[in-house]
Amino acid sequence: MQKEVPNISIIIPVLNEEDYIQRVLGKIFEHSTTTRIKEILVVDGGSTDQTVSFAKKLGVPVISSPKGRARQMNLGAKKAQGEILYFIHVDSLPPFGFDQKIIDSYTKGKKAGCFRLRFDTPSLFLGFFAWCTKINRPICRGGDQSLYVGKELFETLGGFDLSYKVYEDNEFIGRLYKRTSFKIINDYVVTSARRYMQKGMISLQYHFAVIHLKHYLGKGPDTLYDYYRRNIAL
């Protein structure tokens, strides 16, 4: 008997993202090629701009959540009805046919994975780091690449660690690598370079590298957040 094709629940955590929410939702609608998207869940952490109203105008339900991306994504996962959870940042745009590519990978036994990355800028500096996302190692992962994971596996691992105010994607993906075979789908999510434009490309990439190093050396979530707050937060 042929197995039933799994459904996908798309989860987008947001906080004051009125400039990006319509664009990502529009691209999801435009680039989906199957009927297997069960739902799109926008999980709002207390926006005070037009983020929520813009999402609702497009017919997308909005879940209210306490602020914090790990908490927001966990809540979205709890509400989700699909067998596959697909987490995507509001300023990252999925490729054409992303849903079919996720389903193909999942049904072939790859219960977690992501896409490669491109920035929306011709910068050769950022282009190098985007190229590195083809390498299947935890150090080359990040939330901007989006993430799919089977809901059952997500729940088995306990979801995102709420003690992480930053680095929650990387910490969870690190646990995925230890538990399952992680798939890099050979297509590209296009993500905004806005933070690099605001903070400076070299400076921001340096600070990200320091956070990676601190985590590798065993520093806890409070230490990582303190460094982020002092050197990266706007």
Side-chain angles (χ1 to χ4, degrees), residues 113-134:
C114 69
F115 291 93
R116 294 174 62 182
L117 180 69
R118 280 182 180 152
F119 288 99
D120 62 352
T121 173
S123 164
L124 293 178
F125 177 77
L126 292 182
F128 168 75
F129 290 100
W131 176 88
C132 290
T133 62
K134 71 182 291 185

Side-chain angles (χ1 to χ4, degrees), residues 19-195:
D19 293 335
Y20 287 88
I21 187 63
Q22 295 180 96
R23 187 174 68 155
V24 69
L25 292 176
K27 195 62 69 174
I28 288 170
F29 297 146
E30 178 186 345
H31 281 182
S32 59
T33 59
T34 73
T35 60
R36 307 312 299 180
I37 295 179
K38 180 73 174 180
E39 61 203 345
I40 303 171
L41 301 174
V42 171
V43 188
D44 180 64
S47 294
T48 56
D49 62 2
Q50 297 299 307
T51 300
V52 172
S53 61
F54 285 166
K56 289 182 176 179
K57 284 179 182 178
L58 292 174
V60 176
V62 177
I63 300 170
S64 296
S65 167
K67 179 181 176 182
R69 197 155 56 190
R71 192 177 303 277
Q72 290 169 242
M73 291 190 289
N74 281 350
L75 180 57
K78 182 178 180 180
K79 300 283 188 180
Q81 300 179 57
E83 295 89 347
I84 303 172
L85 307 176
Y86 182 48
F87 299 95
I88 186 165
H89 289 184
V90 70
D91 58 354
S92 292
L93 305 177
F96 183 80
F98 70 94
D99 48 342
Q100 186 63 63
K101 290 166 184 173
I102 290 171
I103 290 169
D104 288 345
S105 179
Y106 182 86
T107 55
K108 290 177 182 176
K110 303 294 186 179
K111 301 305 181 185
C114 69
F115 291 93
R116 294 174 62 182
L117 180 69
R118 280 182 180 152
F119 288 99
D120 62 352
T121 173
S123 164
L124 293 178
F125 177 77
L126 292 182
F128 168 75
F129 290 100
W131 176 88
C132 290
T133 62
K134 71 182 291 185
I135 302 170
N136 200 347
R137 295 289 185 272
I139 190 66
C140 297
R141 304 280 68 82
D144 287 340
Q145 299 167 50
S146 70
L147 171 71
Y148 83 84
V149 57
K151 185 172 183 179
E152 183 177 349
L153 175 58
F154 181 87
E155 292 174 344
T156 298
L157 291 176
F160 294 95
D161 188 334
L162 297 182
S163 63
Y164 283 82
K165 296 180 181 179
V166 297
Y167 209 75
E168 68 288 329
D169 295 301
N170 299 77
E171 190 278 332
F172 179 66
I173 291 171
R175 284 186 277 137
L176 282 173
Y177 265 88
K178 294 176 181 178
R179 178 60 68 95
T180 190
S181 178
F182 196 91
K183 173 69 176 179
I184 309 300
I185 300 175
N186 190 26
D187 207 338
Y188 299 87
V189 166
V190 177
T191 195
S192 171
R194 56 177 173 164
R195 296 176 72 190

